[in-house]
Amino acid sequence: MSMSPGRLFADELHDEFGTWMLGYTPFGGGDWGEVAAVAAAVGEGDDGDFFDAWVAAGDRVRADADAAVAAGRPGASDLYLRASAFYASSYHPLYGTPVDPRLLDGFRRQIDAFDTGLALRGIRPSSVAVDDAQVPVYLIPAFGHETEVRPLLILVNGYDATVTDSYFASAVAALRRGYHCLLFDGPGQGAVLYEQGVPMRPDWEVVVSAVIDHALTSPLVDPERIAVSGWSLGGYLAPRAASGDPRIAACIADPGQQDLGAGLSVFARRLGATEEEARDLSGLDDDTVGRLMKAIEQDRKLHWSIIQRGFWVNGVADFKAFLARTAEYRIERVGDIRCPVLLTHAENDPIAGGVPAFAEALSDVTVLPFTAAEGAGGHCEMMNRSLLNRRVLDWLDDTFART
């Protein structure tokens, strides 16, 4: 296999996951040269080689962190957090059930480095019970405002990111801007999925309300200025939470999603489903399901997205159950979202297709477009998170000043 122009990793799926780190570079994640070195180490290798190369890189950074602590040098906290990002990059291709022990090993290394880095700043995780899940929660004070009452930004992950990703992709920029940040992985995410086996749930207002209850026990949190921001699938989860908890004073959805089932219908048409079949995916006959599954199984990226990730995260065992579960992810009570809402719309992000319709249904909404010409046209503006964060935080500053 030869590497295409502009690609660091030979394998397309490896390149998608391996280049996440480049979005974190301005916020303390790995540099381009480090990612390129991992790509060179993987070469034409398989998912195991990808895992090994990232873990080796994480071990190198972790050793630097340990050495900084032993010598009493500054910067050890940042190095541990940086190592966490390397470990977090290692295991995504290994998704699926039964759970690969390498995934658990990489994740445990990740969280140990993450917790160690934050502990050096006096920050330790707590836990919030949400039905049968124990949700890990990190409340990180704004840089330079560690003892002040400040607005709180609650960060919501999607299908496959974890607290480490939230930290580098969104939290660092917000912490620099003066926002306290709360990071957590809920049902179907991070430790709650990997370690506890608890799948995703559509009623995310239950999850975020429990998290807000916990946040309000801190004297640092301004109860009148609580914002929730979700990326990827979090673009549904965050506004769903806002529809059920009036304490949320601002909501950011990157990109905004009201109805995941509608998006899946578009996906089914691309796989060859007829218009009639796509309108009612719950009524597909076995032959049609088999035809769609064959197309999914023959495409490495689709196989990962639907079978390895989608089935596992949703706690289902077959495509029909996956379709039925996805149809439950719909915000019915859009009128109950009374806070200002920001919807991002990157021009080449396929899951942003429903943003215009969602915006029409909201009463106080801003749609923020991002383009390929800005280097921000892809999913979640991953290759220009600096631009995304600046514009989103400008909006949040203005929103809280206005309200």
Side-chain angles (χ1 to χ4, degrees):
M1 183 192 298
S2 61
M3 200 184 315
S4 65
R7 185 186 289 178
L8 278 175
F9 291 79
D11 178 83
E12 182 179 3
L13 194 65
H14 290 172
D15 196 64
E16 179 173 332
F17 293 130
T19 54
W20 278 19
M21 181 77 85
L22 299 178
Y24 305 158
T25 300
F27 311 107
D31 282 304
W32 192 95
E34 293 175 297
V35 177
V38 171
V42 177
E44 305 283 342
D46 61 13
D47 294 343
D49 296 311
F50 182 86
F51 174 83
D52 291 341
W54 278 110
V55 168
D59 287 347
R60 174 183 57 78
V61 180
R62 171 87 195 219
D64 288 345
D66 292 340
V69 170
R73 291 192 296 269
S77 174
D78 289 340
L79 284 170
Y80 283 115
L81 294 168
R82 189 184 185 99
S84 175
F86 281 84
Y87 293 131
S89 300
S90 69
Y91 54 75
H92 282 88
L94 304 174
Y95 256 50
T97 54
V99 181
D100 194 306
R102 292 171 296 179
L103 181 146
L104 291 175
D105 176 58
F107 177 70
R108 288 166 183 166
R109 289 172 187 253
Q110 169 198 336
I111 295 301
D112 181 68
F114 191 71
D115 288 353
T116 302
L118 290 179
L120 290 175
R121 304 179 189 178
I123 300 163
R124 287 176 172 77
S126 51
S127 179
V128 174
V130 181
D131 293 334
D132 56 346
Q134 289 296 320
V135 172
V137 174
Y138 298 81
L139 179 57
I140 306 176
F143 298 153
H145 304 278
E146 285 81 0
T147 61
E148 300 174 26
V149 177
R150 302 290 301 174
L152 177 69
L153 180 60
I154 298 173
L155 296 170
V156 176
N157 275 313
Y159 249 128
D160 45 64
T162 64
V163 288
T164 295
D165 300 291
S166 287
Y167 177 80
F168 285 104
S170 300
V172 172
L175 294 165
R176 290 172 177 170
R177 187 72 75 97
Y179 288 88
H180 298 327
C181 287
L182 190 149
L183 283 58
F184 74 97
D185 284 330
Q189 301 171 330
V192 184
L193 176 66
Y194 307 164
E195 304 277 15
Q196 301 173 40
V198 179
M200 184 70 70
R201 56 190 293 169
D203 56 342
W204 209 249
E205 65 275 16
V206 175
V207 180
V208 171
S209 291
V211 168
I212 291 175
D213 289 344
H214 176 77
L216 290 176
T217 65
S218 169
L220 299 178
V221 173
D222 180 350
E224 302 301 318
R225 292 186 294 171
I226 296 175
V228 62
S229 177
W231 66 329
S232 197
L233 178 63
Y236 159 84
L237 299 174
R240 173 66 189 251
S243 74
D245 196 318
R247 296 173 295 181
I248 296 172
C251 177
I252 299 150
D254 177 25
Q257 299 163 75
Q258 181 185 359
D259 184 352
L260 268 61
L264 202 57
S265 294
V266 174
F267 166 74
R269 283 194 290 273
R270 289 176 184 159
L271 289 181
T274 66
E275 288 292 329
E276 183 179 356
E277 290 168 342
R279 275 196 298 272
D280 182 18
L281 295 175
S282 65
L284 295 180
D285 59 40
D286 290 343
D287 287 344
T288 303
V289 169
R291 178 162 48 88
L292 294 177
M293 276 298 296
K294 185 176 181 180
I296 291 167
E297 288 169 347
Q298 291 176 343
D299 185 293
R300 173 162 158 78
K301 185 174 178 180
L302 288 179
H303 184 280
W304 183 88
S305 297
I306 302 297
I307 298 174
Q308 291 177 240
R309 182 187 67 174
F311 288 9
W312 184 27
V313 170
N314 286 285
V316 299
D318 59 66
F319 191 51
K320 274 196 169 182
F322 172 74
L323 293 174
R325 188 63 170 163
T326 302
E328 297 176 25
Y329 287 77
R330 177 177 172 80
I331 303 172
E332 301 281 1
R333 304 194 312 268
V334 178
D336 289 344
I337 303 176
R338 297 187 175 91
C339 66
V341 177
L342 176 66
L343 307 179
T344 69
H345 191 178
E347 67 174 326
N348 296 325
D349 187 347
I351 73 169
V355 167
F358 193 11
E360 283 289 321
L362 292 163
S363 59
D364 185 348
V365 63
T366 300
V367 176
L368 198 56
F370 290 90
T371 66
E374 300 167 313
H379 182 51
C380 293
E381 304 79 30
M382 199 63 183
M383 290 298 100
N384 196 348
R385 292 294 295 184
S386 295
L387 179 66
L388 177 282
N389 284 320
R390 176 166 56 81
R391 290 182 178 172
V392 164
L393 293 169
D394 286 347
W395 175 87
L396 191 56
D397 286 348
D398 293 344
T399 297
F400 280 155
R402 170 167 59 91
T403 57

